Amino acid sequence: MSTPTEAEVRTEVREWIAANWNPDMSLLEWRTKLADSGWGAPQWPKEWYGRGLPHSLVRVVQEELAAVGAVGPAASGVRMLAAATLLEHGTDAQKKKFLRRILTGEDTWCQFFSEPGSGSDLAGATTRADLKGDFWIVNGQKVWTTSAHHADHGLLLARTDWDVPKHEGMSYFVIDVKQQGVDVQPLKQMNGHASFNQVFFTDAKVPKENLVGKVGEGWKVAMTTLAHERRGADGLAPPSKKGRKEGRIHAEERAENDKANEPYRWYPQRAGRVDLILERAKETGADKDPHVRQEIAKLMIMAKSAEWTARRARAAQQQGRPQGPEGSLGKLAASHVARGCARVHTMMTGTEAMLTGKESPREGIIAEILVSVPAVSIAGGTDEIQRNIIAERVLELPKEPRFDTGPFRNVRRN
Ligand SMILES: Cc1cc2nc3c(=O)[nH]c(=O)nc-3n(C[C@H](O)[C@H](O)[C@H](O)COP(=O)(O)OP(=O)(O)OC[C@H]3O[C@@H](n4cnc5c(N)ncnc54)[C@H](O)[C@@H]3O)c2cc1C
């Protein structure tokens, strides 16, 4: 069947919204309708809660939903990474079991990749999964696990073979987080929030049918998750909508967002708050200081070019082109902008930038920026790792020497 035109999609979705949208229904009822109609994720395949539309037409659907103030599908958190990974590598049974509940927001997800001894070196993971009867038995420790404290399911990378090279001995699972044997302990950050956790697995169980991809192919599956994470579907909550809308469904959505976003209140600050720079320049009189003004100009130029790089990546995705170097370049650029912001905010605010509490500059927001921006240079792959990727895969420079080939059992660790 040929791809519908923009006008055809607009008419069809508009008619569907007119017949179905009612702000007084429950959030779950509406999202179930969205999922079952395919309008919640129109870019997904028709047989899996989508409409098989190209990315370029998704915008049309979003515009029509926004025009009547309709709530969208649940899209925040790791759930969209889970969906992208399952759509590419999952079995039909897994897609049937998980995808619909991702869109309706009934399940929350987290990502069990990093460990105390393997973050950048993700393929060095030592959490193990051993097959016993119909279950994989999981033992080990993960760390930095955002949202594990309220997640239902986790995307788990675990070692299933110790006698092959490290990238070949990993497998990928969906694990039930709320079971005995999974001990989630929140970690408090230097900005005072607790968004991530350390998680201990002691004989935790994963049913055989929750293996994603084949045994030993976990690395390949994890690369799909990471590619989507670098593209930006990384657990950031959607931007809050302006204005207070009436109706049961909006009240339920607000309650859901408040609960889900509580641990991430600092996320805007970790990006550096470039949106506050010009306001603060006027507020503090820094716009009169030629030296600071020059630094502000440099930062705003960098922020604009980073935004354009991100737009290029989005445009490529919308046209169905594979992700180019924009993923790593965009991630590095975001990290430069965040750190640049922290520096310029400090220049403008002076020593008061260190104060927190109601009486402090912008009620503590400036201080929170200073202690939150390092996260951008670490999460989803550090700056150094992005530079390695750009050097080796984009510029084709010689690879780093390796000391970790051969059976993983014999590789020196930690
Ligand atoms: C806000 C936030 C949220 C996160 N959420 C999650 C999550 O939900 N799930 C999850 O699994 N993980 C999560 N992480 C973990 C994140 O993916 C890791 O922190 C990251 O991959 C770095 O690993 P590491 O902390 O072990 O540092 P290490 O790998 O120990 O690195 C330490 C330093 O050495 C450098 N380095 C390491 N290897 C090289 C190399 N080959 N060449 C040059 N330099 C190198 C690094 O750049 C870094 O500066 C999160 C992290 C943050 C900050």
Side-chain angles (χ1 to χ4, degrees), residues 3 88 99 170 189 207 255 279 291 321 343 378 409:
T3 309
E88 198 163 325
L99 288 178
M170 326 261 296
Q189 299 135 219
E279 282 175 31
H291 175 58
R321 281 193 274 130
R343 205 166 56 81
I378 305 172
R409 194 180 289 287

Side-chain angles (χ1 to χ4, degrees), residues 41-46 48-53 80 83 87 99 102-103:
Q43 72 283 23
W44 289 8
K46 276 195 180 139
W48 299 117
Y49 312 105
R51 295 200 148 233
L53 291 185
M80 297 321 278
L87 278 167
L99 288 178
I102 285 176
L103 290 178

